[in-house]
């Protein structure tokens, strides 16, 4: 996706914002749903290309998470991780899993790694809130968690959408579940199968909590995030 243009709307090539790629795919598909005019194959194809490009060129294979920006087809130029990019990423990846989960586990695996990055590095576990920038060492570049361009709609929208989508996936009949096998019950929780993945997403319907569950292991439940 072209990020910068001249005054004559001519694209300036070779610069890519991975966060805007994944946010745009969500906005494109959400717009289709809001307009109620069906899903255009060209729009769907372009949305998939955007997230695939971001995963191919702007994804951290070690810690998880999307880098800030880089050249269009080269290595990332800035390996900082902005909070809004990570939250847009977790929303976009689960959306892609819902669409293409029967074909590949890649989006669900990236979704889980993306959330673990947010929880372990981006969120301030002591004083709460979200750090704006995380460096390559997994540490916040500054302790400040607010400034003029840091808005709450990215993380708020993402968490609401992800919660809704996880609940919808958990309600699917076994024959309709994404790739990975039938659902399994564990202490009253319904699992979204993860195939060869190391962890699965579960929903506790009685407490309305979304939880990250390690496969069929006693005391293997830990809270992913809670809804209120």
């Amino acid at each position: 996706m072209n990020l910068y243009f001249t005054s004559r709307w001519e694209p300036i090539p070779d610069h890519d914002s991975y966060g805007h790629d994944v946010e745009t795919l969500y906005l494109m598909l959400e717009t289709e749903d809001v307009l109620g005019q069906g899903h255009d194959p060209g729009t769907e194809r372009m949305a998939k290309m955007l997230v695939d490009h971001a995963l191919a060129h702007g994804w951290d294979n070690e810690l998880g998470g999307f880098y800030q920006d880089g050249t269009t087809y080269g290595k990332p130029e800035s390996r900082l991780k902005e909070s809004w990019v990570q939250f847009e990423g977790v929303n976009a990846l689960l959306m892609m899993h819902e669409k293409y989960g029967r074909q590949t586990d890649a989006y669900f695996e990236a979704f889980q790694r993306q959330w673990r990055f947010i929880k372990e590095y981006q969120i301030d576990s002591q004083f709460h809130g979200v750090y704006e920038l995380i460096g390559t060492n997994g540490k916040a570049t500054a302790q400040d968690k607010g400034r003029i361009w840091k808005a709450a709609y990215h993380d708020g929208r993402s968490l609401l959408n992800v919660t809704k989508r996880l609940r919808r996936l958990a309600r699917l009949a076994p024959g309709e579940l994404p790739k990975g096998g039938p659902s399994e019950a564990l202490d009253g929780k319904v699992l979204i199968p993860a195939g060869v993945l190391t962890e699965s997403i579960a929903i506790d319907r009685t407490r309305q909590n979304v939880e990250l569950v390690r496969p069929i292991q006693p005391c293997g439940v830990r809270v992913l995030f809670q809804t209120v």
Side-chain angles (χ1 to χ4, degrees), residues 132-145:
E132 183 179 10
L133 290 174
I134 301 297
T136 55
N137 60 357
K139 304 293 184 181
T141 60
Q143 296 301 302
D144 297 339
K145 286 174 285 187

Side-chain angles (χ1 to χ4, degrees), residues 81-114:
K81 295 173 186 173
E82 292 182 271
S83 60
W84 74 267
V85 176
Q86 311 319 313
F87 280 100
E88 291 294 348
V90 79
N91 178 46
L93 290 167
L94 188 60
M95 174 179 279
M96 297 304 287
H97 170 67
E98 187 176 37
K99 287 183 171 294
Y100 302 105
R102 285 184 174 274
Q103 303 171 23
T104 176
D105 287 325
Y107 299 118
F108 195 56
E109 180 178 8
F111 161 74
Q112 293 180 95
R113 293 189 65 194
Q114 178 70 73

